[in-house]
Amino acid sequence: METQETPFKAALRSGMIVGLISLVISYLVYFINATSMASSWMLLLVALSFVLVLVFGFKYRKELGGYIPFGAAFQFSFFTLIVAGIIGMFGQILLFEVIDPSLPEVLVDQQIQNTMEVMENFGAADAMSTEQIDEMKQGLLDRYSFAGQIKAFGFVLIFYAIIALILGAIIKRKEPTPSY
């Protein structure tokens, strides 16, 4: 009798693949142009991760015989995102703390510049004082620290749960009930 892989085991394998792909892309962007890491293109990386979770979820469903209940689909999606997120978080910590400790400063400067450009477009660039800009800069820098990354991951878990609900609903497929 063939044993079926649990959602947790399947998610571990899939999460490692999604996490490593995301990490490789992030590092490539860093080596090509580090300031691009502060742009909105990074949302495409997040979207790619969700698409990969769907692809692996459909593959897992097929391995189970073409049907998967919502609960198992949610568990698969959520744990895949968690594993990928942990890999990504430690990769980012390695990048910010070991490989290039000056990178957070570069990214924060770019983020502030982007924010000021948006505020200029709305005619509100003069609304912020130097103290407010310095405070915003320090808050952004804190997010790149080791503790900031860990804390942010806690909030990301809530986001992952919501996304996993959506992905689980897409992946699930009920077995047809025979009609007599």
Side-chain angles (χ1 to χ4, degrees):
M1 182 174 167
E2 185 180 322
T3 59
Q4 294 179 339
E5 193 171 39
T6 66
F8 303 106
K9 192 171 182 181
L12 180 64
R13 182 185 68 240
S14 300
M16 289 175 64
I17 293 169
V18 172
L20 290 173
I21 288 171
S22 296
L23 197 58
V24 166
I25 292 171
S26 293
Y27 274 62
L28 283 173
V29 170
Y30 164 72
F31 288 119
I32 293 169
N33 182 2
T35 58
S36 294
M37 295 179 79
S39 67
S40 59
W41 87 267
M42 292 299 280
L43 293 175
L44 292 175
L45 183 59
V46 173
L48 173 66
S49 297
F50 298 152
V51 168
L52 288 173
V53 172
L54 281 175
V55 168
F56 287 121
F58 292 140
K59 181 180 176 215
Y60 177 58
R61 180 178 76 187
K62 187 176 179 184
E63 289 172 5
L64 294 177
Y67 303 104
I68 185 171
F70 174 74
F74 168 75
Q75 290 172 348
F76 171 83
S77 300
F78 188 54
F79 287 110
T80 298
L81 290 170
I82 289 174
V83 170
I86 289 171
I87 290 170
M89 178 186 63
F90 282 113
Q92 296 299 325
I93 289 171
L94 180 66
L95 181 61
F96 299 140
E97 299 289 329
V98 178
I99 296 172
D100 190 352
S102 67
L103 181 60
E105 184 82 28
V106 171
L107 295 178
V108 166
D109 288 342
Q110 184 64 43
Q111 288 172 319
I112 289 175
Q113 181 180 342
N114 294 346
T115 301
M116 296 309 285
E117 287 173 7
V118 168
M119 290 179 72
E120 270 182 28
N121 290 338
F122 287 106
D126 299 333
M128 290 188 71
S129 67
T130 306
E131 294 84 28
Q132 289 173 317
I133 293 172
D134 289 342
E135 190 176 310
M136 182 172 74
K137 184 175 183 174
Q138 188 57 49
L140 290 170
L141 278 171
D142 290 345
R143 292 181 188 170
Y144 289 105
S145 69
F146 180 81
Q149 294 278 320
I150 299 293
K151 190 166 123 179
F153 189 71
F155 291 109
V156 167
L157 287 175
I158 297 167
F159 177 68
Y160 284 169
I162 294 167
I163 295 300
L165 286 169
I166 296 166
L167 297 175
I170 294 170
I171 295 168
K172 75 162 175 55
R173 180 180 288 163
K174 290 183 181 181
E175 286 190 61
T177 56
S179 57
Y180 296 101

